[in-house]
Amino acid sequence: MRTDSSPGTLPAREHLPAGDAGTPVLDVVIPVYNEEKDLQPCVLRLHEHLKHTFPYAFRITIADNASTDTTPLVSQRLEAEIPEVRAFRLEQKGRGRALRTVWSASDAPILAYMDVDLSTDLNALLPLVAPLISGHSDLAIGSRLARSSRVVRGTKREFISRAYNLILRGSLQARFSDAQCGFKAIRRDVAQVLLPLVEDTGWFFDTELLVIAERAGLRIHEVPVDWVDDPNSTVHIVKTATDDLKGVWRVGKALATGALPLDRIARPFGDDPRDRDVQDVPKGLARQLVGFCVVGGLSTLFYLVLYSVFRQFGGSQIANALALLVSAVANTAANRRLTFGVRGRGGAVRHQAQGLVVFGIGLALTSGSLAALDAASSNPSHSTELAVLIAANLAATVLRFLLFRAWVFPDRDEDQPGSTVVAGHNPASPAYAPQQLPTAQTYPALPQRPTANQFATAPRGPQSPYDTTEFRAGEAAEQRSWKDVTMRLDPVRPTDTDPRNS
């Protein structure tokens, strides 16, 4: 049994502080565009539900995306009548742009959003944000495709949703089940790091945020939801699907070329057992062995196919040299990316040159084996040649892994000066642009997680309802000196009901 002093024991993750009465712990954003009819019923229903079921103080923010009807007037009236409601006006359209703007400026430790049609049952809201408040997860999403979800919608939308998520799994290796459900939440400290990396300002915003978070090793919690389709939805399905596919291509290209600085934001929040030094378990060795074996097996099959093809046009030595050269280049590239996790084009030429040295060693082993076979038998059969080559390649494989790990792709020292990368966001730029910073430049101390006193002093006026704090990507977890501030919570009475929720 592992005790507190056992190697690899993880400390308890910090809970978010519970502020004083009236302090917003949760900020629910409702992005709207020309929703003058549905906005007021939605806000009133959501407010009543939160007032009766949510044990912390909350805020509802209406993010108006350049509406041309009376939506701004409805938002202002709701803000004047309900203390927990804030209205925010943007002069440009785009749901992603609205969420980025409001989330970047919000002072609440938990940020969420939902669609104005309230297709998702509100009973899933507390289970959605609870893992974020406890510190267990970094993001949370509602899933209509989970086994226990109860969904009512047409065949067309069902097919489009499942096809889109299959595309994400096949192209971006996404493991979350539902990227398009308009019911998500994120911790504020996580959002401050991820939002500058998200390029999209429309409907693909959710997917891009989730893909980056998942690739960075953050924990995404999924909540099965009850969902009823809104037949009056104004979403343009064809245009949205086209934009989403363009976004999938752009993000996939950025991941393949290493343009996303994931190495600087990998698992920056909380402790991860994969990052800890455990006795008698070399860090990363098991994963590298598995990756190397998979790449090696595929490379061997590729090599044998090439050798059989080249053998038809020349002698065994020439066929072996050509097949080994081609397969060695492919093997080095695959091990560089998949086994040792080296992304981008930096050092690729040097790695290939070192890989060719390793190739020379393998060539000497296999060529020597063929020479010994020719000396032992004047006319060996093709199957005998293949058997000898397989045995020689197995011996060369062990040596190749050792050379790759110790010489070609040694463990990189991430603490070396001059390697700090700041994630820059430029909505007009088609690519992600990490920037190199001079080592002599100093930076201000990172902000600690907000406390109850900070919430109490945050401005609440109509002109400045938010407090924005900026800090560098990848350093959100460097300071962990906050304390867990708790407050007494009255139990929710089971007799409390929402009169507006039939």
Side-chain angles (χ1 to χ4, degrees):
M1 178 181 294
R2 172 173 288 178
T3 62
D4 291 340
S5 59
S6 300
T9 301
L10 299 178
R13 298 187 71 178
E14 296 287 346
H15 292 213
L16 289 177
D20 298 331
T23 299
V25 173
L26 171 66
D27 191 351
V28 183
V29 181
I30 305 176
V32 293
Y33 174 73
N34 290 345
E35 298 287 354
E36 57 184 1
K37 295 182 179 180
D38 296 335
L39 179 57
Q40 180 169 336
C42 165
V43 172
L44 293 177
R45 179 182 167 192
L46 176 60
H47 179 265
E48 287 295 325
H49 180 83
L50 289 172
K51 186 172 67 175
H52 287 88
T53 63
F54 194 69
Y56 299 100
F58 61 89
R59 177 196 295 136
I60 301 174
T61 301
I62 304 172
D64 179 20
N65 302 278
S67 296
T68 57
D69 58 1
T70 61
T71 297
L73 298 179
V74 177
S75 303
Q76 295 173 5
R77 184 172 67 250
L78 291 170
E79 181 182 25
E81 295 176 355
I82 305 176
E84 292 84 5
V85 174
R86 296 287 184 271
F88 197 92
R89 168 75 177 182
L90 288 88
E91 298 302 330
Q92 292 179 296
K93 291 181 60 177
R95 185 184 66 168
R97 179 181 288 108
L99 291 176
R100 188 203 329 273
T101 302
V102 177
W103 280 358
S104 299
S106 179
D107 58 352
I110 302 297
L111 310 171
Y113 95 90
M114 60 180 58
D115 293 334
V116 69
D117 55 13
L118 292 184
S119 296
T120 304
D121 182 29
L122 292 178
N123 289 321
L125 182 56
L126 185 56
L128 182 79
V129 301
L132 308 186
I133 295 177
S134 68
H136 174 269
S137 302
D138 304 301
L139 298 91
I141 64 174
S143 176
R144 299 163 297 184
L145 303 180
R147 292 182 179 272
S148 56
S149 298
R150 292 175 287 189
V151 178
V152 178
R153 60 176 170 180
T155 306
K156 180 180 179 180
R157 285 182 175 269
E158 180 77 11
F159 173 78
I160 293 176
S161 178
R162 292 188 178 274
Y164 178 67
N165 284 279
L166 285 176
I167 292 175
L168 293 180
R169 289 177 177 270
S171 59
L172 301 179
Q173 288 79 49
R175 295 190 299 271
F176 47 84
S177 63
D178 193 352
Q180 294 178 311
C181 182
F183 193 70
K184 297 180 176 67
I186 186 173
R187 291 163 61 105
R188 178 177 177 268
D189 52 352
V190 178
Q192 291 284 353
V193 175
L194 295 183
L195 289 180
L197 302 178
V198 181
E199 289 276 343
D200 192 79
T201 59
W203 293 94
F204 188 70
F205 175 87
D206 306 45
T207 302
E208 187 170 359
L209 180 69
L210 291 174
V211 170
I212 295 175
E214 187 175 71
R215 288 300 185 94
L218 304 184
R219 176 171 286 163
I220 301 176
H221 179 74
E222 296 196 11
V223 178
V225 297
D226 296 344
W227 197 86
V228 179
D229 190 15
D230 180 15
N232 299 321
S233 176
T234 59
V235 178
H236 196 292
I237 297 179
V238 177
K239 184 179 184 303
T240 301
T242 303
D243 293 340
D244 287 346
L245 292 178
K246 292 179 180 178
V248 170
W249 170 261
R250 175 175 54 80
V251 174
K253 181 179 179 182
L255 292 172
T257 59
L260 275 170
L262 297 179
D263 56 332
R264 292 296 300 157
I265 63 174
R267 300 193 291 272
F269 307 99
D271 291 277
D272 193 304
R274 295 169 292 180
D275 296 331
R276 299 180 66 86
D277 294 329
V278 183
Q279 187 177 2
D280 299 329
V281 179
K283 185 177 179 181
L285 178 60
R287 180 187 62 81
Q288 291 177 356
L289 279 174
V290 173
F292 185 81
C293 290
V294 173
V295 173
L298 295 177
S299 298
T300 301
L301 294 177
F302 184 51
Y303 162 79
L304 293 176
V305 171
L306 291 176
Y307 177 81
S308 299
V309 173
F310 294 148
R311 189 66 174 85
Q312 304 297 323
F313 306 98
S316 60
Q317 293 288 0
I318 297 178
N320 172 66
L322 291 177
L324 196 57
L325 176 61
V326 176
S327 61
V329 174
N331 181 276
T332 301
N335 277 307
R336 182 178 186 270
R337 176 64 178 86
L338 302 177
T339 303
F340 299 96
V342 180
R343 298 179 175 88
R345 300 177 181 178
V349 176
R350 176 175 58 84
H351 292 156
Q352 284 292 348
Q354 292 172 316
L356 290 178
V357 175
V358 179
F359 152 76
I361 298 176
L363 178 62
L365 288 175
T366 53
S367 298
S369 300
L370 288 176
L373 179 61
D374 291 337
S377 177
S378 59
N379 188 21
S381 64
H382 183 65
S383 59
T384 303
E385 287 182 349
L386 291 181
V388 171
L389 288 175
I390 291 175
N393 271 286
L394 289 177
T397 297
V398 177
L399 182 60
R400 185 184 304 118
F401 176 76
L402 297 177
L403 290 175
F404 274 174
R405 180 175 172 83
W407 180 48
V408 183
F409 307 109
D411 292 337
R412 293 170 294 173
D413 186 4
E414 297 183 357
D415 296 330
Q416 291 179 351
S419 61
T420 302
V421 180
V422 174
H425 170 71
N426 182 7
S429 173
Y432 302 91
Q435 306 169 5
Q436 295 290 337
L437 298 180
T439 57
Q441 186 173 355
T442 59
Y443 301 92
L446 299 178
Q448 299 178 357
R449 184 171 291 175
T451 61
N453 293 332
Q454 289 174 325
F455 285 136
T457 58
R460 295 294 303 276
Q463 300 298 328
S464 58
Y466 303 106
D467 178 26
T468 305
T469 305
E470 297 180 357
F471 53 92
R472 292 188 295 152
E475 298 184 353
E478 290 185 4
Q479 297 189 14
R480 301 177 180 276
S481 58
W482 58 77
K483 297 182 179 179
D484 188 8
V485 183
T486 59
M487 63 181 293
R488 184 180 63 84
L489 302 176
D490 296 330
V492 178
R493 298 185 298 275
T495 56
D496 288 340
T497 58
D498 185 356
R500 293 182 176 84
N501 189 351
S502 59

